[in-house]
Each structure stands twice: as C-alpha cells, then as structure tokens.
C-alpha cells in the first residue's frame, strides 16, 4: 500500500491523515505531499488505524502525536495537560510587554499558576533568554500546578528547552506553594507578575463541547460560574497586596485568561476582592475578550 491509497480511504480529513502518517513515518507533511508513492507497511498501517480510532473517539491530534507548537516552539503534551491554545499566546505577549514597560534593571518575579505543560512560563523564559539576557537575569520564573502528572510534563519541556535555568516548578494550590516557602519574591523590590490560565469553564460548557471532552477536567472546569479558581487566587493576591503600602513602587499584576462570556463577572469579582486594583480586558486575534489584566 502507498500513501496515496490511504488518503483515498481514510475517514479523517486530508490534513489529519497527513499529520498522523507523517508522525508515524517520522517525516513532515511536505515530504508526504511530494512523495505520494511512499510505501506504507502493514505494521505502519495498523498503527495508523489505532490512531485513527482514537482520533474518532475525540483525542486531539496533539495528544496523539505528543506535541504541540506554542509561541513558535514545540512542547510535549499528553493526556494529563491542557493542550496549549493559540489564543493563550496573548497572555505571553502581555506579560512580556509589561516587563518591557519597566526600566531594564527592574526585578521581576513571574509566577505561572496552573502551568500545565509549562508552555507559558517556558516561552517567557526563552523569549527573555534569547532576546534580552540582562532582563532575563533579573527575572525569577516559577511554574505551579496542583497536578504532579502535569508537572512531570512541564519539567520535561523545561529540560528540552534547556537554557531555562531560572525556572522552578512547585506542586500546590495556586500561590500557596510560593507563599508557604521561602521561595517568594523580595516583597520590597521584585515586581510580581502572576500569569494564570486557570480552569475557567462551567461543567455544561465542557459537557457540550466534544472537542475537549478528552482533555483533563481538572484543567478546564471551575464550578458553576467558571470562576471558582480566580476567586481563590484573587483572595490570595488581596493578602499579598496588603503589604504593598511599604513598597508603593512595586507592581503586582495579574494576567487571567478568561472565556469571553466572563467579561462582566471577572470585572465584578476583581472590584469586590481587589477594590484598589484596575482592570483592563484584552482581545485575542479572533477579537474575543480573552485576558483580564488586573494591576493592584
Ligand atoms: N480555552 C480553553 C477552551 O475553551 C479553556 C481553557 C481553560 O479552562 N483554561 O477549550
């Protein structure tokens, strides 16, 4: 059997067929496009059928191939982490911009809460490492997740992108592992940036969305209004901000990815729990409200 025969019979789209076969053959899509006569051995065809079945059962292409591109780089993923989404690149960009709006010798502590595959914090570390070593050296990068299985993937990704010596990962609930350890920003000097792509969907949203039903619910569902974890995080931040009077120049900024439907409710929540903070909503490339930036 050759590649062009499979294209004719595959129940998957041409794109997905090419990606999965390319993955099994360890060749890129361009190779398959230019070599339709590539032989597909019976063993390989069997593996392709197994992947096809899983794809039809709802597993994502990213989990089947074990990788996903985010912010121009490859990340390992598996069933224990949320597959990084293109719209989350906005969060990386806004954190980057915030750092750049400060003097180049400013100290930063960037905490990625619910780091999952580590894609956000590793992308940030790599961007600074590759583009501005001076700033890189003034930043502490931290990734936190409640799931030990997710942290294994994050550590694997950090090891693969090996320059990232300034990243540390911790297991625990939101900011707790940082607050309870001595590994905490210098409260007088470091600006604290909190990047959070926490679970923000309701159980109904997840149940009615076949494309995400195989992704970890732990990374997606956040109570009846989808704000359960942001509520907890805001309360932790409120406590941190009490210390701010001693260091008025220090910045504490939260970057929370949201569902566009949460625009009003996240504003109300911030107003209630972080009344001194100001909130700005940013849109993603699809023009959907996607990020709440709260400066306290
Ligand atoms: N944006 C994701 C989705 O809709 C949800 C991510 C999350 O809950 N953090 O699939």
């Amino acid at each position: 059997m050759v590649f062009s025969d499979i294209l004719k019979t595959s129940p998957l789209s041409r794109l997905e067929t090419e990606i999965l076969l390319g993955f099994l053959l360890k060749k890129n899509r361009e190779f398959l496009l230019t070599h339709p006569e590539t032989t597909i051995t019976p063993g390989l065809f069997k593996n392709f059928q197994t992947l096809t079945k899983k794809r039809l059962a709802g597993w994502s292409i990213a989990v089947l191939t074990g990788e996903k591109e985010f912010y121009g780089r490859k990340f390992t993923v598996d069933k224990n982490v949320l597959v990084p989404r293109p719209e989350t690149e906005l969060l990386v960009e806004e954190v980057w911009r915030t750092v750049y709006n400060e003097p180049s010798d400013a100290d930063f502590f960037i905490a990625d809460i619910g780091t999952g595959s580590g894609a956000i914090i590793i992308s940030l570390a790599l961007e600074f490492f590759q583009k501005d070593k001076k700033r890189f050296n003034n930043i502490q990068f931290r990734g936190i997740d409640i799931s030990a299985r997710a942290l294994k993937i994050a550590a694997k990704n950090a090891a693969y992108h090996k320059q990232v010596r300034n990243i540390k990962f911790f297991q625990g609930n939101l900011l707790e592992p940082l607050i309870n350890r001595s590994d905490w920003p210098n409260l007088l000097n470091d600006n604290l940036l909190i990047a959070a792509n926490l679970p923000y969907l309701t159980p109904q949203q997840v149940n009615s969305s076949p494309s995400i039903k195989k992704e970890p619910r732990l990374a997606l569902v956040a109570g009846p209004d989808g704000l359960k974890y942001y509520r907890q995080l805001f309360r932790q931040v409120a406590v941190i901000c009490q210390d701010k009077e001693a260091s008025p120049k220090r910045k504490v900024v939260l970057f929370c990815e949201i569902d566009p439907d949460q625009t009003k409710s996240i504003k109300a929540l911030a107003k209630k729990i972080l009344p001194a903070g100001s909130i700005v909503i940013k849109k993603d490339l699809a023009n959907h409200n996607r990020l709440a930036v709260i400066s306290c």
Side-chain angles (χ1 to χ4, degrees), residues 107 109 184-193 240-241 243-244 246-253 296:
D107 291 316
F109 192 100
W184 184 237
N186 177 332
L187 286 178
L188 289 178
N189 295 322
D190 291 349
N191 297 298
L192 172 60
L193 305 184
I240 295 165
C241 287
D243 295 332
K244 248 201 101 188
S247 54
K249 280 212 314 233
R250 179 173 172 256
K251 276 188 179 303
V252 178
V253 189
C296 310

Side-chain angles (χ1 to χ4, degrees), residues 163-207:
Q163 308 96 312
V164 290
R165 62 186 189 292
N166 285 11
I167 307 183
K168 284 188 197 163
F169 291 100
F170 294 106
Q171 188 184 5
N173 186 34
L174 306 171
L175 285 167
E176 256 166 37
L178 297 184
I179 297 172
N180 294 340
R181 273 176 227 216
S182 54
D183 191 74
W184 184 237
N186 177 332
L187 286 178
L188 289 178
N189 295 322
D190 291 349
N191 297 298
L192 172 60
L193 305 184
I194 299 168
N197 179 14
L198 293 177
Y200 55 70
L201 300 179
T202 64
Q204 290 87 327
Q205 280 176 307
V206 174
N207 294 341

Side-chain angles (χ1 to χ4, degrees), residues 82 85 87 197-201 212 219-220 257:
L82 186 79
R85 311 285 208 258
E87 60 267 29
N197 179 14
L198 293 177
Y200 55 70
L201 300 179
I212 56 175
L220 291 167
E257 185 175 305

Side-chain angles (χ1 to χ4, degrees), residues 37-66:
E37 76 293 352
T38 302
T39 305
I40 308 296
T41 61
L44 204 112
F45 183 61
K46 214 168 163 215
N47 292 343
F48 174 70
Q49 283 179 312
T50 306
L51 289 181
T52 301
K53 262 192 210 138
K54 285 191 168 174
R55 178 68 193 125
L56 294 173
W59 291 97
S60 66
I61 289 285
V63 167
L64 295 181
T65 60

Side-chain angles (χ1 to χ4, degrees), residues 14 30 44 54 56 96 130 139 150 156 176 214 221 231 233-234 256 263 285 288:
R14 181 178 182 120
E30 289 68 30
L44 204 112
K54 285 191 168 174
L56 294 173
W96 166 269
Q130 288 164 1
I139 305 174
K156 199 170 169 183
E176 256 166 37
K214 294 282 188 202
V221 182
R231 197 171 283 114
L233 179 65
F234 288 6
C256 306
T263 307
L285 289 176
H288 294 136

